Structure formats: structure tokens, C-alpha cells
Amino acid sequence: MNNRYFCKVLCLVSILFLLSAPSFAQTPDEFQERRQIVLDNMEPNSVFVMRSNPPAGEFEQYRQDNNFYYLTGLNEPNSALIMRARTFRTREGEIVQRTTTLFITPRNPARSDWDPQSLGLEEAKSKLRFDNVLPIGEFQSEYENSLTSRISIFYMDYERSQGLHTPLSDDEDLFKKAREKGGSFEIRSPNNLLYPLRRIKSEIETEYLRMAIDITAEGHKEAMRSIKPGMAEYQLQSIIEHVFAINGSQRVGFNSIVGSGPNSVILHWSDNSRTMEDGDLVVVDIGAEYGMYTADVTRTIPVNGKFTDRQKDVYNIVLAAQQAGMDVLRPGVSWSDVNAAANEVLIEGLQRIGLIKDRSELRNYYFHGLGHNIGLQVHDVGGLGTLEPGMHFSIEPGIYIREEGLGVRIEDDFLITETGYIHTSKNAPRTVEEIEEMMKKKGTDYSRYLIKK
Ligand code: GLY
Ligand code: MN
Ligand code: MN
């Protein structure tokens, strides 16, 4: 490699790195604060046990369980968390001692050529803010010992416990033994402790989400510039995901949906195998993941760059319905009001174009919810309910006319603030005019990669 070439490559790699390196990051303090809130809300004499996700299969990428990540920041398999709230009687009265213990895989230099290395005990002790850090080999006995007759509540993610069937799973076996020894604890899901917290995003979580959403909007723009008749849905998917990766998104938040023509009416189309044809509409429902947080933005675009009158009519009803939902957004508003506002416009529009007569027929053309929270997972936890500052969610009305193979969904992301809302996905062209304008632009030329036959 000559020197000039080397400098160019180095320069390009540095630029890409700078572009993709965040100027913000979640620190161990944030994760500790979350654990502290959970600990403080745990009942006296209770134990909270949570395991990491199991290791990925061979050649698969590992991704941590969302709740476990939210509390630890650790993206490692073979780890676990025990939190305890124990009461003690002292001369001054009863006190509650609250402790956190992380169990982690010790480093194994002998496997360093084969497996990603664990953070290890020493680093975890010095960097993460747990009261105790122990090797994972000690987890089982600590878990068993924690189920003493003195505890009254046991928080565990039993949905992820290994199979609730006979023969008894390891967890059930343990409960049975503990109960035989006099334990009379109640088993509770940790969700009530965790979901209200996960529902409201911190400033740094908001930074990650906004980055994921901005990257997703770039993917949409490139899809609009690059799509053309004859291209396969999966090829458009790959162009979008290329833009995601170049911008520092390590993976998608969910399998990209590129549904053209007849596939545009299938809500979670995931094969992306069809070749797109002139005249098709294409539902492009995508979300980049960034720092474990995922966007969820849908655009519906005409393959040839121009909406037909029919497509435009349907599109504009969906757009107006979304706008009606947006117009009522502010803190304190109930999600059912947002839903009602969007439904009214859909009903009125479908009646106007003669597809339905009665409002009860809306479900024939629109059969999913209006939106959902977004966050560590695409359909994030916590529920919508009454909108509060710090909530991130999508609004995604649609109309699906099966008999015409014509589906339109428009999905945008929003953040509720103290005074109103931020339309976080507004960088993705959204109106008919904005989309057609973007589609006139030239996309990336991939012809250099084509094998010459
Ligand atoms: N991407 C799935 C959804 O819109 O809910
Ligand atoms: Mn979506
Ligand atoms: Mn969605």
C-alpha cells in the first residue's frame, strides 16, 4: 500500500468513526440510579433475581435482555443480578438493608482467540457500581440461599424461567424445596417495578432514540432515491440497512418490512422477496437500532416515483388521520383521545371515497393499533395511557385495501415534552409532494458491484 492510499483509507475510517461515535453515553451511574429506584420500591424482605439472556447460538450475535440491560448496562451472557431488601431489628428500630450483587463470567484468557471476552470480575468491581460482584459459578447457591423463610416477596422474570411444565423447571424445583423448608414467599413479576421506569426516557435515552430515528430517516431518503421497478424488496432493504450501518447502527431494531403491491397490505411482511413493479406502492417500515434503542418509522412510496390519483387519495386520508392525532398531542392527554381523533378522519375519508358506509366498517380497512411506545424494543413496555414528558412513541395509521393490493401506512415517532411534543422523525419526507421531490434525486449507483454476465 503506498503512503497516499494509506492516508486516504485512514482518513475515511477516521471520518466514519467520528460520524458514528456518540458524543453521549450511558454511564454506570445511570444504571445504578435505576437499580436504586427499583431497590427502593421493593417490599421489605424481598429478593429480586434476574438472569442475562443465554449465550447466542454458534455464529449468532449476542444481544442482552432489555430489562437486564436497563438495570446493568452489561451486554454479556452468563451473568445475573440479585437485589435484596432485608429488614433487621436494631435498638433504634427496624432498618431495611438494600444490596445489589452482580454475577459475571470471570475472564478466561485461554478462550480469548475464540470468544468475545467478559468484562471480568476486577473491571466490573471497579467500573460498575454494584455492592458486590461475584463469579457466575456462585449464582446458583446465592439464589437458593436467598429463598429463606424470612422473605415474603420474590421478584423474578418467570416468563423467562425455563419452561413452566413438568418435569419441574430448575426454578420451580427450587421454589418447592424452599417452601418445604418453611418459605412462604409470593412470586411477583418484576414488570411493575421496571415498566413505569422504562416508559419515561432519560435525556441520554432520548439522545440514543433521536440518533436511531435520524439514521432511520436517512435510510428512508436513500430508499426514495434508489427504488425503481425491477428491484427486489430485499435489495431495497439492503440499501436501507447499508445506510444504517454507515451511520453507526449496529443492527436493525426489527426485521425491515419492504412490502410492495400485494404485500403492502400484509402488516408484518418479512420475506421481502418480491420484485417490485411499475405502479406498485411500497410500505417501507424500518427502524435502526442505536445503542440498544430502536426507531420505528414507516413511509409508503410509489416504485416509479409518482403516486397515481387513487394512491394519492388514500395516502392523504392516512396522512390527515396521523395529523389529527398529532394535533391533540400534549402532556396530560389520554392516548384514547389521540386514537379517537385519528379514527374520525379515517372513517370520514373511507366514507368519502365510498369504501365504507358505516363507521363500524373501519376495521375492514384498518386493523391494528394507532401506535406504541418505542425504546429498547420496538413495541416498548409501559403502555401509552396518559401522555407524560419523556415518553417516546409512534403514531401509525393505515388503510389496507386487499382487493386492490393497495396498502398505505404512515408511521412517525414523537417525544412528549413539558409543553407539547417533538416530531422526532420529521426528517423523513412525509407528504406526497416531499416524497415525490425526494424521489427525483439520484440514489447511490451500485452498478459497479454487478457481476458481468
Ligand atoms: N414495525 C412494526 C410496527 O410498526 O409496529
Ligand atoms: Mn413500524
Ligand atoms: Mn410501529
Side-chain angles (χ1 to χ4, degrees):
M1 204 189 286
N2 73 34
N3 253 355
R4 264 182 62 198
Y5 185 64
F6 180 75
C7 287
K8 270 191 185 163
V9 170
L10 194 68
C11 189
L12 183 68
V13 168
S14 320
I15 288 170
L16 282 179
F17 177 76
L18 285 174
L19 283 177
S20 61
S23 56
F24 50 87
Q26 298 197 78
T27 62
D29 293 356
E30 285 228 358
F31 295 102
Q32 187 198 21
E33 278 166 27
R34 293 173 190 161
R35 290 193 297 274
Q36 194 59 50
I37 296 171
V38 172
L39 263 180
D40 289 344
N41 285 318
M42 282 167 56
E43 305 267 354
N45 292 322
S46 65
V47 186
F48 179 115
V49 173
M50 185 168 278
R51 299 180 178 88
S52 69
N53 262 343
E58 201 177 17
F59 307 121
E60 283 178 2
Q61 191 184 56
Y62 182 76
R63 190 184 183 282
Q64 189 56 278
D65 169 68
N66 289 321
N67 281 335
F68 193 84
Y69 178 78
Y70 188 76
L71 290 176
T72 65
L74 203 66
N75 193 38
E76 287 189 19
N78 303 318
S79 38
L81 169 66
I82 296 185
M83 302 201 280
R84 291 180 185 220
R86 277 183 288 194
T87 54
F88 291 97
R89 246 180 261 290
T90 66
R91 252 182 264 135
E92 288 77 39
E94 204 164 72
I95 57 160
V96 186
Q97 187 195 51
R98 298 175 190 271
T99 55
T100 58
T101 306
L102 176 72
F103 297 85
I104 189 171
T105 315
R107 289 179 82 87
N108 179 2
R111 289 290 301 174
S112 65
D113 289 340
W114 287 85
D115 303 320
Q117 277 290 289
S118 157
L119 181 65
L121 286 164
E122 296 315 315
E123 292 252 334
K125 271 183 197 157
S126 67
K127 288 200 176 138
L128 312 180
R129 299 174 173 274
F130 290 86
D131 299 317
N132 312 297
V133 177
L134 296 174
I136 190 68
E138 293 180 25
F139 169 68
Q140 197 60 22
S141 59
E142 287 286 324
Y143 177 18
E144 285 187 42
N145 292 339
S146 73
L147 294 177
T148 65
S149 54
R150 290 198 56 218
I151 76 147
S152 54
I153 311 279
F154 175 55
Y155 300 97
M156 78 157 314
D157 46 347
Y158 52 79
E159 285 157 18
R160 289 175 53 227
S161 154
Q162 317 98 311
L164 296 173
H165 47 71
T166 50
L168 291 182
S169 73
D170 292 348
D171 286 319
E172 289 172 301
D173 201 27
L174 219 65
F175 305 155
K176 191 163 163 269
K177 282 190 198 138
R179 283 182 170 136
E180 281 163 5
K181 284 193 215 151
S184 63
F185 49 87
E186 175 194 330
I187 299 169
R188 274 196 207 164
S189 158
N191 296 353
N192 290 344
L193 294 171
L194 283 170
Y195 289 2
L197 291 181
R198 282 182 55 188
R199 179 171 178 262
I200 307 294
K201 272 66 180 181
S202 69
E203 277 175 31
I204 292 180
E205 289 181 289
T206 286
E207 301 258 25
Y208 281 106
L209 273 164
R210 296 202 66 166
M211 191 71 182
I213 295 163
D214 281 346
I215 293 172
T216 304
E218 285 309 312
H220 273 301
K221 288 192 218 164
E222 188 55 22
M224 290 174 194
R225 292 185 291 248
S226 302
I227 194 170
K228 49 179 176 272
M231 184 184 267
E233 294 166 340
Y234 63 83
Q235 290 173 323
L236 191 70
Q237 170 184 7
S238 133
I239 289 170
I240 290 165
E241 292 174 9
H242 173 77
V243 174
F244 286 2
I246 291 293
N247 278 298
S249 160
Q250 218 182 317
R251 64 195 149 217
V252 290
F254 56 93
N255 196 81
S256 300
I257 297 169
V258 181
S260 63
N263 301 330
S264 65
V265 301
I266 303 173
L267 298 187
H268 290 173
W269 173 247
S270 54
D271 282 2
N272 298 347
S273 52
R274 182 175 175 273
T275 298
M276 300 182 281
E277 293 171 13
D278 201 350
D280 285 346
L281 263 192
V282 189
V283 171
V284 182
D285 184 347
I286 53 175
E289 184 185 286
Y290 191 81
M292 299 287 278
Y293 288 80
T294 184
D296 189 12
V297 183
T298 306
R299 290 294 178 258
T300 301
I301 59 177
V303 170
N304 61 15
K306 203 110 186 91
F307 287 86
T308 64
D309 287 346
R310 175 68 167 172
Q311 291 169 346
K312 213 184 285 183
D313 283 348
V314 177
Y315 191 93
N316 281 330
I317 297 170
V318 178
L319 187 69
Q322 192 194 41
Q323 190 61 51
M326 289 164 66
D327 289 345
V328 295
L329 290 182
R330 64 189 149 74
V333 155
S334 154
W335 180 251
S336 57
D337 293 339
V338 183
N339 202 35
N343 279 354
E344 275 315 307
V345 176
L346 288 174
I347 291 166
E348 190 270 320
L350 286 169
Q351 285 173 335
R352 186 161 36 80
I353 62 172
L355 278 175
I356 65 169
K357 286 201 177 71
D358 190 79
R359 45 192 305 121
S360 65
E361 294 166 274
L362 172 63
R363 287 288 162 202
N364 295 344
Y365 293 96
Y366 168 56
F367 29 83
H368 57 77
L370 180 66
H372 51 85
N373 308 65
I374 56 170
L376 286 169
Q377 63 204 53
V378 60
H379 289 181
D380 209 34
V381 297
L384 288 156
T386 301
L387 301 181
E388 289 176 66
M391 285 177 68
H392 284 261
F393 56 90
S394 73
I395 300 187
E396 50 173 316
I399 292 179
Y400 308 92
I401 313 173
R402 296 183 197 85
E403 52 279 21
E404 296 177 34
L406 195 169
V408 173
R409 179 161 65 256
I410 307 173
E411 175 170 36
D412 278 81
D413 297 338
F414 301 90
L415 163 65
I416 296 292
T417 63
E418 295 294 335
T419 52
Y421 72 91
I422 296 173
H423 179 184
T424 45
S425 57
K426 70 172 183 321
N427 290 348
R430 176 166 160 269
T431 64
V432 164
E433 296 72 31
E434 286 167 355
I435 291 171
E436 288 185 348
E437 207 44 47
M438 183 58 68
M439 294 187 80
K440 284 185 196 150
K441 300 198 159 85
K442 235 173 116 54
T444 310
D445 179 9
Y446 290 93
S447 60
R448 66 193 297 186
Y449 304 125
L450 286 175
I451 296 163
K452 302 212 172 36
K453 295 217 178 90

